[in-house]
Amino acid sequence: MTTTTGVTNSADLFESINKARDSKNKSQETQDRFLKLLITQLQNQDPMNPMDSAESTSQMAQMSTVSGIENMNASITSMMATFNAAQSYQAAALIGKTVMVEGDTMQFDGSKPVTNEIDVPAEGGVVTVAIYDASNNKVDEIQLGKQPGGRQAVEWDGKGANGNNLPAGKYYISASVAQANGGNKQISSYTYVKVDSVAMTGGTVNLRLTDGRVLPFGDVSSIM
């Protein structure tokens, strides 16, 4: 079940809590049945051939172990439900804000430079960044030179290759690093996108972005 109103679906949370409670109840029922069976067995045992105390103790120890595991699983399920609820409330605070996620889409307002990031391989290399407009026409190219490995910031000033200001709108970034064999390797880029709404699907908190994508809350690397 997924919400589209920008708030978390509480039904998933209550379902998780109920499952944890039901699991605990079933564990208690299993213990009760075992104890009733053990008492009945003791009451009806042959006085001349009583139950081996070691066997009885072993059975109770096994029951205690199984019960402990079931209770631990129920506790973990309950803790995860609480964690998901807290995470969804945090994510809801992002509605209307701009977050950085992996992707190539940029929104240029016509005046302010656009800040992005690229993921340079660990060994580093000479990086080139190309900018494309909404019609997939290459409008600019940025030579970053030799860059160290890791996430590196890239700022585009909103101007074309001829130095003229470009109009506001959607643009795309494409980064590559030069290879020793003379080729180029495409590398990941990260751009800022606005959050439209928050939804919980199957116990996972997701963000619906204004560009239409739906990404896990954990994919956000920074918030503007």
Side-chain angles (χ1 to χ4, degrees), residues 2-4 101-102 193-201 204-217 219:
T2 304
T3 61
T4 58
V101 294
E102 184 173 0
V193 186
K194 186 169 289 187
V195 178
D196 183 55
S197 64
V198 175
M200 179 177 281
T201 307
T204 301
V205 180
N206 295 315
L207 305 180
R208 187 179 298 278
L209 307 178
T210 52
D211 63 4
R213 286 182 294 164
V214 177
L215 299 176
F217 176 57
D219 283 3

Side-chain angles (χ1 to χ4, degrees), residues 151-172:
R151 293 276 287 269
Q152 306 298 333
V154 180
E155 187 177 89
W156 178 53
D157 58 9
K159 296 181 180 180
N162 57 9
N164 295 331
N165 293 327
L166 293 173
K170 183 183 292 186
Y171 292 86
Y172 299 93

Side-chain angles (χ1 to χ4, degrees), residues 73-153:
N73 289 338
S75 297
I76 291 175
T77 300
S78 180
M79 288 172 59
M80 287 303 298
T82 302
F83 172 77
N84 286 337
Q87 191 178 52
S88 65
Y89 291 135
Q90 289 179 332
L94 295 179
I95 297 174
K97 293 185 180 297
T98 303
V99 297
M100 177 168 279
V101 294
E102 184 173 0
D104 59 0
T105 305
M106 301 183 296
Q107 195 65 40
F108 177 50
D109 66 3
S111 60
K112 295 179 182 178
V114 183
T115 300
N116 309 285
E117 290 185 2
I118 55 175
D119 195 1
V120 182
E123 65 274 15
V126 177
V127 177
T128 301
V129 176
I131 307 297
Y132 296 84
D133 63 16
S135 299
N136 203 33
N137 298 311
K138 186 176 179 180
V139 296
D140 195 15
E141 184 173 281
I142 306 171
Q143 297 292 339
L144 295 179
K146 178 73 173 180
Q147 295 291 317
R151 293 276 287 269
Q152 306 298 333

